[in-house]
Each structure stands twice: as C-alpha cells, then as structure tokens.
Amino acid sequence: MRIPSERLAFWFLRLNGFLTIPNFIVHPEGPRDDGAYPQQTDVDVLGVRFPFRAENRRRPMPDYRLFMAERRRPMVVLSEVKTGQCGLNGPWTDPECQNMQKVLCAGGFRPAHQVEEIARALYGHGVWQDETLVIRIVCFGNRHNSGLERSHPSVPQLIWHQEVLPFVYRRFDEYKLEKQMHRQWDEDARQLFAVAGQVANADEFVASVEVVDKL
C-alpha cells in the first residue's frame, strides 16, 4: 500500500493516545504590504497526550517509549513530517517569523505572558517544559539528519521504517482482536490493519508500505 507521510504520522500519534489535529494552519495576523493575507505555515500534525493514558485495562497496550517515559505531565507535540530526510522548515527555526508564538497562542497551552519564553526554548532546543506540561517538536522522515541532531539534539527523529511502521505493525499484530472492529477509521488505517494481517512479520510489513508525499 501507499500512504501519505502526514497520514502515517497522524495514525502513529493517534495509536499512541494523542488527540490530533492535522494541518494546524498558522494564519496571518494582518495584511502584507500588498493587502493580501497569505497562509504563513502549518504544523503537519499537532497532538496532545495526557499522562494517565491507558488503553485496554485487561491487557495494556504499551505506547512508544518516548511517550511512555512521560508519566506525570501532558505532552504537546508539534510534528514536522518529511518523506525524505528529517528536518525543520525555516518557519520553525527563524525566530523573526514568530510562527511559534502564533501556534502557542492559537493552541492556548499556556498564558500569553509565557509565550515568548516558550517560543525561545522551542526555536533554540525544540522542547520546553515546566512542572505541569511538556511542549516538544518531533520530526518524522525516512532517514536521520546529523545536522539536525547537532543543532537540536532534543528533537526526536522518528524514522518511518525503523520506529513508526514497526510500532504500527506490533500494535495491529499483538492486538488484532481488540482492533478488528474499526469501521469508523479512515481508509489509511483500515489498509494498514489489513496489510498487517496479511504479512508474517514486521519486516514484511515495512516492505509492504510505501510512504509518499501525496497520493
């Protein structure tokens, strides 16, 4: 099967208990010199996960280790999704654009007087946290970016064939009976579940799924 990268990131986060919004658009706050109001950028997938998340009380489903490690605070994830090498677009690395501030205000995660502090941390390191909340950037792609690791070592790089697809396969393979009633899912998720049931192992599943930019 072929699946758009943003849809796969959406389902990876959803299967890990995130409440998700795809294509969270950053709208302009006023006109350009020519009077136009162009879209400035977007968060590919914005997600919020709560610390007491637990699916299936009889046989708990383990989530991805990055998310399981946070057991006391909600986590907000701002996802940057690529079909190629992991990376951050200019709007998320250039403080002059102030896109981070607009996302933080639109999301309402913290009071207005904390927005500049949080934005500085996200621009500089990719993560901000206090005693009650974690906000972090997460990158998805098909290969690791060593330059990004040097500039933003706190930004996780989740590789499609190493972390994302193997996790999806394990979830659908180990909990196939619990997940089999899913008519409300979209076509992407239904196809992923079907492919997981047709292959013998995670390697075959990874080989059977092509991550693309758009269909």
Side-chain angles (χ1 to χ4, degrees):
M1 68 169 289
R2 303 171 78 229
I3 183 170
S5 55
E6 291 184 13
R7 297 299 301 159
L8 182 54
F10 170 91
W11 275 102
F12 174 78
L13 292 174
R14 180 165 164 179
L15 290 171
N16 276 284
F18 280 85
L19 307 179
T20 48
I21 303 175
N23 304 121
F24 187 88
I25 297 173
V26 177
H27 294 283
E29 296 178 332
R32 294 185 313 201
D33 292 341
D34 62 3
Y37 283 76
Q39 175 183 327
Q40 295 182 282
T41 189
D42 69 324
V43 180
D44 292 326
V45 186
L46 185 151
V48 180
R49 183 181 189 274
F50 294 95
F52 309 111
R53 146 34 182 218
E55 186 173 357
N56 196 332
R57 292 176 297 170
R58 291 186 177 182
R59 196 162 67 97
M61 299 183 185
D63 288 336
Y64 185 68
R65 59 184 181 274
L66 171 67
F67 311 132
M68 289 285 285
E70 182 52 67
R71 296 182 177 275
R72 61 187 182 87
R73 299 171 294 184
M75 179 186 296
V76 175
V77 161
L78 311 177
S79 301
E80 183 72 11
V81 179
K82 306 289 186 186
T83 52
Q85 179 176 258
C86 291
L88 295 178
N89 289 339
W92 305 123
T93 58
D94 183 2
E96 294 298 319
C97 295
Q98 295 202 354
N99 286 314
M100 203 72 75
Q101 288 92 328
K102 294 166 189 171
V103 168
L104 295 169
C105 286
F109 312 118
R110 275 293 179 265
H113 70 269
Q114 287 189 273
V115 163
E116 290 298 331
E117 168 204 340
I118 298 170
R120 282 195 301 272
L122 291 171
Y123 278 125
H125 311 292
V127 63
W128 174 89
Q129 56 191 314
D130 65 6
E131 290 300 310
T132 60
L133 182 67
V134 180
I135 304 175
R136 69 182 320 135
I137 298 171
V138 173
C139 286
F140 292 86
N142 77 348
R143 61 187 184 276
H144 191 264
N145 185 333
S146 57
L148 178 61
E149 184 175 24
R150 289 191 296 271
S151 64
H152 292 75
S154 297
V155 173
Q157 300 185 43
L158 302 183
I159 309 304
W160 300 123
H161 63 280
Q162 293 177 355
E163 286 90 17
V164 178
L165 286 169
F167 173 87
V168 172
Y169 173 77
R170 288 193 301 271
R171 176 56 46 88
F172 288 162
D173 179 62
E174 295 172 12
Y175 295 90
K176 59 172 98 37
L177 296 179
E178 291 87 344
K179 294 291 187 182
Q180 64 183 329
M181 301 300 293
H182 53 244
R183 64 181 181 275
Q184 296 92 344
W185 288 357
D186 62 26
E187 183 63 22
D188 297 316
R190 292 198 299 269
Q191 284 193 49
L192 287 169
F193 185 86
V195 173
Q198 295 164 2
V199 299
N201 52 51
D203 290 340
E204 287 188 15
F205 179 77
V206 171
S208 299
V209 180
E210 181 185 1
V211 184
V212 298
D213 184 28
K214 291 180 174 63
L215 290 178

